[in-house]
Amino acid sequence: MASVALVAGMFVLVPTLTRWLGPAPGTLAVFALYWFGFCLPLGFVFQRPGQRRGLLSLKVGEQRWVPWSVLALVSLLAVAAWFEWPRPTPWAAITWALPLAVVNGFAEEFYWRGAFVTQAGGRRGLQVWGVVLFTAWHIPLVFAHGVSYHGPIVVVGGAAVVGAFWGLIAARTGRIGWTVVSHILTNAIVFVDLIATNFGN
């Protein structure tokens, strides 16, 4: 229910804050509320005590395809970024993108994958529901005032694809170590373009 409330609330918060505060401060405010008011607190609430260290492990057991698939995804995105990043790429976009990617990648995985994996207890349905809601929370971003995410297909469709990929890794390994790594690297690449395109001037 908390996740559904988040998605519903973001349909109000995203357009309102980006209009009142401006595109850049409004976007940062939305994400700060999302990270520190939702993902991290609920991640701690819904994860079982004593499981967090193991949950963040990079051990994959028999799932040896996981590191290679993460490398393949990041490599593909890096190639795409070579063509998509504006020229010249502002250094400010890179320096802002890296810390934001770390916070966002960890916070989202800590809740959307970490909490749902620990609560699922082997129930695939709950983990799938986590992926669906993770995708749904990206829909309100389309309505950000003065901010382009390259359209709903890119922001929502992209979230659905990588969310399903990270959900599969978490389900197969029972951990989120590699999904955190993948999410941070993915965000680092994507955020440079997002920041340079929208807030570069």
Side-chain angles (χ1 to χ4, degrees):
M1 290 301 296
S3 303
V4 175
L6 165 77
V7 174
M10 283 298 177
F11 276 100
V12 176
L13 284 176
V14 171
T16 300
L17 290 178
T18 51
R19 182 174 289 107
W20 284 359
L21 302 178
T27 298
L28 188 58
V30 166
F31 276 92
L33 288 171
Y34 170 58
W35 297 329
F36 301 110
F38 181 82
C39 292
L40 292 176
L42 289 184
F44 279 107
V45 169
F46 288 112
Q47 289 181 34
R48 297 188 180 98
Q51 288 187 321
R52 295 186 189 110
R53 180 174 296 181
L55 192 66
L56 291 167
S57 171
L58 293 175
K59 294 179 181 179
V60 296
E62 297 180 355
Q63 310 299 321
R64 296 185 179 89
W65 56 272
V66 169
W68 296 105
S69 63
V70 168
L71 177 62
L73 172 64
V74 174
S75 299
L76 182 63
L77 290 172
V79 171
W82 176 259
F83 295 100
E84 290 296 325
W85 281 8
R87 300 287 193 275
T89 303
W91 275 108
I94 297 174
T95 55
W96 270 101
L98 295 179
L100 293 176
V102 171
V103 176
N104 187 68
F106 178 80
E108 289 201 309
E109 291 305 313
F110 191 65
Y111 176 70
W112 291 113
R113 243 64 63 187
F116 276 81
V117 165
T118 56
Q119 288 293 313
R123 293 173 292 170
R124 292 289 183 261
L126 185 58
Q127 295 182 32
V128 170
W129 183 232
V131 173
V132 170
L133 290 171
F134 170 77
T135 303
W137 113 256
H138 288 78
I139 298 174
L141 297 178
V142 176
F143 302 99
H145 182 72
V147 183
S148 171
Y149 289 92
H150 300 297
I153 293 178
V154 173
V155 65
V156 181
V161 171
V162 295
F165 171 61
W166 294 327
L168 177 64
I169 291 176
R172 291 291 182 85
T173 63
R175 299 178 175 90
I176 62 169
W178 279 104
T179 69
V180 170
V181 171
S182 183
H183 202 143
I184 289 173
L185 294 176
T186 296
N187 281 172
I189 294 170
V190 172
F191 282 5
V192 170
D193 177 65
L194 173 67
I195 295 169
T197 299
N198 291 283
F199 317 121
N201 296 324

